[in-house]
Amino acid sequence: WKRLTQGLTRTASSLSTGITDLFTKRKLDAGTLEDLEDILIRADLGVETSARIAEAVGKGRYEKDIDPEEVRSLVAAEIEAVLKPIATPLVFTTDTKPFVLLMVGVNGSGKTTTIGKLAATLRDEGKKVVLAAGDTFRAAAIEQLKVWADRTGATIVSREPGADAAGVAFDGLAKARADGADVLIIDTAGRLQNRAELMAELEKVVRVIKKQDPAAPHAVVLTLDATVGQNALSQVEAFRRVAGVTGLVMTKLDGTARGGILVAIAAKHGLPVHLIGVGEGIDDLQPFAARDFARAIVG
Ligand code: GDP
């Protein structure tokens, strides 16, 4: 909780200060509610959600004095209601081992770091992990994944830069099976600017995996960088089309005032949000909890 509130300080302070300034010594009326709606929109919560929250806050309270603290808790409750249905843990269970997790996301979104953090969490749970370096486009991505494998004791499967990503995925699954690993995490390229190429590549990865295990991949998780704000919405749309995303991880919620974007994404897409990143460290990946998050961003 402490890490979460610390991480979300910037989002919280922008919302919290805005609400305090607005409702100190002012009655709740159409004007203040409109201003509240603006504050929520500026905090990236999305136009429709912001309108709905302002309406809920106003209900039965017109022309009354209202304490900023009460507004904050009303706003938090509304945000919690939006987030509750989508707060879903990532559960690594399958009928047949390994659980295959395909990680997708644009370059720089925190995909590799999230894979590393997940590998650490799984190791701490006593699970055996194989990482497949499927972002063969960037030599640095392969190297970075190797560093995480060393750090977490995971086994890494890679080929030379430029190799076929589906081949790496194939090797990864074969290795995971041979070793009796619990989880295989496949990194992928994040070149959304070459959408057709990326789609073909990801489709091939999935095809090759399915040939060996029709139930796999068991999850396709998209990493989203919170600092890009509204752009995250178009990334969700693009990757849903390109890769059949089953869930989300939002990274870099620390150091941004744009944490509200998670609420807009929840309202628009209804996709499960599994985890959030609140720092670069190995322990900075947290389960996503609707109530805690809602309270943390309102401050
Ligand atoms: P990829 O290109 O998607 O694999 O992205 P990386 O995993 O390489 O991450 C890009 C940068 O973002 C790196 O410098 C990471 O340390 C940093 N990063 C990733 N997740 C977080 C996070 O939750 N918070 C912060 N502050 N930085 C993060």
Side-chain angles (χ1 to χ4, degrees), residues 105-114 117 138 144 187 223 251-254 277-280 284:
V106 299
N107 292 336
S109 64
K111 187 158 27 84
T112 313
T113 308
T114 301
K117 291 171 177 174
R138 297 182 300 165
Q144 203 189 339
D187 190 13
T223 49
T251 65
K252 307 190 201 178
L253 278 162
D254 54 303
V278 290
E280 291 182 281
D284 292 327

Side-chain angles (χ1 to χ4, degrees), residues 39-47 50 226 228-230 233 256-265:
I39 289 171
L40 299 172
I41 291 171
R42 261 184 278 128
D44 287 300
L45 268 72
V47 174
S50 300
V228 305
Q230 296 295 317
L233 277 164
T256 177
R258 315 199 74 172
I261 189 63
L262 193 51
V263 181
I265 291 168

Side-chain angles (χ1 to χ4, degrees), residues 7-8 32 39 42 58 75 83 106 109 134 153 158 172 176 180 199 209 213 222 249 262 272 274:
L8 289 165
T32 44
I39 289 171
R42 261 184 278 128
V75 170
L83 298 179
V106 299
S109 64
S158 64
M199 189 186 294
I209 294 289
D213 179 357
L222 171 65
V249 173
L262 193 51
H274 301 304

Side-chain angles (χ1 to χ4, degrees), residues 170-215:
F170 181 92
D171 291 352
L173 186 49
K175 177 70 178 159
R177 282 185 163 169
D179 289 1
D182 300 288
V183 180
L184 167 66
I185 307 179
I186 304 171
D187 190 13
T188 60
R191 295 168 292 137
L192 198 54
Q193 61 277 24
N194 287 322
R195 198 171 296 192
E197 239 174 72
L198 180 62
M199 189 186 294
E201 185 170 310
L202 292 174
E203 269 170 5
K204 192 171 170 195
V205 167
V206 170
R207 200 162 60 237
V208 162
I209 294 289
K210 279 207 186 300
K211 224 184 239 173
Q212 296 174 85
D213 179 357

